[in-house]
């Protein structure tokens, strides 16, 4: 007879709250970003990947909702400290390779700005809009993640990940349907973690790391094994940090298996 075991499982969501107008503004930010990207309206004042004219609006939306709800506080950064240190170390190595090869300091900064925009749009505005509008249609509070229920939260995670994956820059990197799966899975991991922990900064950090590593690899400045190790270590540190954050925030509960 097998003895019962217990393991920790996510049981809570972030206490992200926004007025209904914030949900509508989030939908406008996502729609405008998609239109700008597909129309090729991208600014590149620093070189590199660039960003769209919607970035200031996304920053204003985050300010309106409250950066403290998105993990930009001393206590939240301490919760993620080990993960941020690991990613910073990896970024120092990868950034050095990029600068020694095809890139410049201005372009390295551009990757950070681009990652900030993508995380604000696809990990904050998109799930807020999709989950909020679905909750509103079901007669629930549109701006309260904890009051949405499982259905709207699932729509938020999957819908935001699909929206991110269907951007032209991401579709251009895949040659078949199966290659979309890793991109979609990573997007779902990042979105779910933000809705669980409320922390956007770790996602920005790992996003910038993966982008710089991939560009360096495609430019021939980074060998395949090192690129693969960077991806595995970066995402592994992020997933490990998410679990530790869940424990520290008390949003994981033991369940019997």
């Amino acid at each position: 007879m097998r003895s019962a075991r217990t393991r920790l499982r996510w049981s809570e969501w972030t206490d992200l709250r926004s007025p209904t107008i914030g949900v509508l503004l989030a939908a406008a930010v996502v729609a405008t970003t998609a239109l700008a990207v597909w129309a090729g309206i991208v600014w590149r004042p620093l070189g590199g990947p660039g960003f769209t004219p919607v970035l200031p609006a996304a920053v204003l939306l985050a300010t309106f909702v409250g950066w403290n709800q998105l993990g930009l506080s001393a206590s939240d950064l301490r919760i993620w400290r080990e993960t941020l240190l690991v990613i910073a170390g990896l970024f120092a190595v990868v950034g050095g390779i990029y600068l020694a090869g095809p890139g410049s300091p201005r372009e390295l900064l551009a990757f950070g700005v681009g990652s900030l925009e993508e995380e604000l749009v696809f990990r904050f505005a998109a799930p807020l809009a999709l989950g909020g509008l679905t909750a509103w249609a079901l007669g629930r509070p549109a701006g309260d993640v904890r009051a949405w229920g499982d259905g709207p939260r699932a729509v938020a995670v999957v819908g935001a990940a699909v929206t991110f994956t269907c951007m032209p820059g991401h579709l251009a990197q895949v040659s078949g349907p199966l290659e979309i799966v890793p991109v979609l899975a990573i997007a779902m991991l990042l979105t779910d973690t933000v809705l669980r922990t409320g922390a956007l900064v770790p996602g920005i950090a790992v996003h910038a790391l993966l982008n710089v590593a991939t560009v360096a690899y495609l430019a021939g400045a980074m060998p395949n094994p090192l690129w693969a190790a960077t991806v595995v270590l970066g995402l592994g540190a992020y997933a490990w940090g998410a679990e530790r954050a869940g424990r520290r925030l008390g949003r994981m509960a033991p369940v019997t298996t």
Side-chain angles (χ1 to χ4, degrees):
M1 184 175 182
R2 295 174 114 184
S3 59
R5 296 181 179 180
T6 61
R7 63 183 179 87
L8 289 177
R9 180 177 176 181
W10 285 100
S11 60
E12 296 289 341
W13 299 80
T14 182
D15 192 20
L16 175 62
R17 298 184 183 183
S18 166
T20 302
I21 185 64
V23 175
L24 298 176
L25 291 173
V29 165
V30 176
T32 308
T33 299
L35 290 173
V37 172
W38 277 100
I41 305 173
V42 180
W43 293 344
R44 291 185 173 86
L46 300 172
F51 50 90
T52 74
V54 186
L55 175 58
V59 172
L60 287 175
L61 174 64
T63 304
F64 174 71
V65 173
W67 285 97
N68 60 317
Q69 295 198 81
L70 299 176
L72 198 63
S73 67
S75 60
D76 284 309
L77 294 177
R78 281 196 299 270
I79 287 172
W80 285 87
R81 58 186 180 274
E82 296 93 350
T83 293
L84 293 175
L85 285 173
V86 171
I87 294 176
L90 290 171
F91 194 88
V93 174
V94 173
I97 294 173
Y98 181 77
L99 292 176
S104 67
R106 285 165 56 90
E107 292 176 349
L108 204 59
L109 177 60
F111 280 104
V113 176
S115 298
L116 170 65
E117 179 184 32
E118 290 196 327
E119 292 301 305
L120 281 174
V121 172
F122 297 107
R123 248 62 79 182
F124 163 53
L128 178 61
L130 293 169
L133 292 175
T134 303
W136 174 80
L138 295 174
R140 302 167 189 169
D144 188 346
V145 172
R146 290 189 175 181
W148 282 356
D150 291 338
R153 286 193 288 259
V155 170
V157 173
V158 177
V162 170
T163 303
F164 173 79
T165 304
C166 289
M167 291 297 102
H170 303 136
L171 292 177
Q173 297 176 22
V174 300
S175 58
L178 291 180
E179 293 188 12
I180 294 178
V181 175
V183 180
L184 184 62
I186 292 172
M188 290 179 64
L189 168 66
L190 294 172
T191 307
D192 186 72
T193 300
V194 170
L195 289 182
R196 291 289 190 179
T197 68
L200 205 63
V201 174
I204 296 171
V206 75
H207 195 149
L209 170 69
L210 297 182
N211 283 353
V212 174
T214 300
V215 171
Y217 164 65
L218 293 175
M222 178 181 287
N224 182 275
L226 182 56
W227 170 78
T230 300
V231 173
V232 171
L233 289 174
L235 290 175
Y238 183 82
W240 172 66
E243 182 180 9
R244 291 180 69 85
R247 292 171 183 260
R248 289 167 174 171
L249 291 167
R251 292 178 186 163
M252 301 185 81
V255 293
T256 302
T257 60

